[in-house]
C-alpha cells in the first residue's frame, strides 16, 4: 500500500554557467519558509567526496554500501551506487526497469528524500527528467523532459509561487 506523494519537486535546466546554482541559492531559503528543502545536483564526472585514508573512506573501501558520518555540525552519507549502477528503491525493490540509469538513480533518490520528510526538492541538472522545470539562461524548452513552469527571468517570488502550486511528485516512469 503506497502513500500519496507529498514532496514537490522542480528541476532547474540550463547550460553551464547560466546561473542554475545561483537560482538554487535564492530558492532554497524562500521555500524553507514553507517546509524542509533538499537539493539534488547532477554531476557528470566522477569525484572523490571522501578523503582517502579517513575512517569513512576506509569503511567504504572495505565494502560498506553506505557510510554515514556524523560530525558536531553535519551528517552525511556516501553510497556506492550512482548513475552507472542506480541504488535500489528504499523498499528494496528496484524502480521500474529503464535504460536510463541516470533517471533511475534520480527517481530512487527522490523517493528516499520524500520518505525522510522533505516538502521540496530542487534538482539542478537532470534536464531530461519528466519533472516540472524552470528554464535558466537560453535553454530551449523543447530540450527538457518536463513541463516548463517558469523561467529564471521571472521574479523569485513568482517562481516560489509556481513551485508551491505544483502537484506532489508522482513516480517517475
Amino acid at each position: 500500500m503506497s502513500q500519496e506523494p507529498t514532496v514537490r519537486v522542480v528541476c532547474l535546466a540550463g547550460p553551464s554557467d547560466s546561473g542554475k546554482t545561483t537560482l538554487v541559492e535564492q530558492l532554497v531559503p524562500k521555500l524553507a519558509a514553507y517546509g524542509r528543502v533538499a537539493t539534488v545536483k547532477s554531476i557528470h564526472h566522477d569525484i572523490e567526496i571522501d578523503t582517502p585514508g579517513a575512517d569513512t573512506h576506509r569503511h567504504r573501501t572495505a565494502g560498506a554500501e553506505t557510510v554515514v558520518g556524523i560530525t558536531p555540525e553535519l551528517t552525511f552519507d556516501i553510497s556506492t551506487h550512482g548513475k552507472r549502477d542506480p541504488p535500489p528503491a528504499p523498499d528494496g525493490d528496484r524502480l521500474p526497469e529503464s535504460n536510463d540509469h541516470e533517471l533511475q538513480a534520480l527517481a530512487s533518490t527522490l523517493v528516499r528524500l520524500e520518505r525522510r520528510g522533505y516538502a521540496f526538492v530542487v534538482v539542478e541538472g537532470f534536464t531530461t527528467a519528466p519533472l516540472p522545470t524552470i528554464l535558466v539562461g537560453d535553454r530551449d524548452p523543447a530540450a527538457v523532459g518536463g513541463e516548463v513552469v517558469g523561467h529564471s527571468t521571472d521574479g523569485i517570488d513568482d517562481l516560489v509561487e509556481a513551485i508551491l502550486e505544483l502537484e506532489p511528485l508522482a513516480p517517475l516512469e
Side-chain angles (χ1 to χ4, degrees):
M1 180 176 185
S2 65
Q3 296 181 275
E4 287 295 311
T6 58
V7 66
R8 285 169 172 76
V9 179
V10 67
C11 183
L12 305 183
S16 293
D17 296 323
S18 61
K20 295 182 301 291
T21 300
T22 299
L23 186 54
V24 169
E25 292 173 321
Q26 295 169 347
L27 286 171
V28 167
K30 295 278 192 175
L31 292 171
Y34 298 94
R36 294 177 67 209
V37 181
T39 64
V40 176
K41 170 70 174 113
S42 176
I43 300 173
H44 300 290
H45 56 279
D46 285 328
I47 61 171
E48 179 57 64
I49 58 172
D50 199 6
T51 305
D55 291 349
T56 51
H57 186 268
R58 291 171 64 191
H59 294 188
R60 183 168 51 91
T61 58
E65 186 173 312
T66 298
V67 176
V68 178
I70 302 173
T71 76
E73 298 293 326
L74 299 171
T75 298
F76 62 92
D77 64 75
I78 303 168
S79 298
T80 58
H81 296 287
K83 293 177 185 178
R84 286 189 200 104
D85 179 26
D91 61 6
D93 296 328
R94 285 217 177 256
L95 295 165
E97 285 302 313
S98 168
N99 289 334
D100 192 332
H101 288 192
E102 184 171 293
L103 289 183
Q104 207 174 6
L106 175 60
S108 179
T109 299
L110 294 176
V111 169
R112 285 195 324 274
L113 291 172
E114 179 178 41
R115 289 186 179 175
R116 291 179 185 174
Y118 288 93
F120 305 97
V121 179
V122 179
V123 177
E124 183 179 336
F126 295 97
T127 301
T128 62
L131 295 169
T133 300
I134 295 172
L135 297 178
V136 181
D138 61 358
R139 176 66 70 193
D140 179 0
V144 301
E147 175 189 358
V148 175
V149 297
H151 295 81
S152 59
T153 55
D154 299 342
I156 193 70
D157 291 332
D158 291 336
L159 292 174
V160 168
E161 189 61 35
I163 295 167
L164 293 174
E165 291 175 3
L166 293 175
E167 292 294 320
L169 178 70
L172 295 178
E173 297 291 338

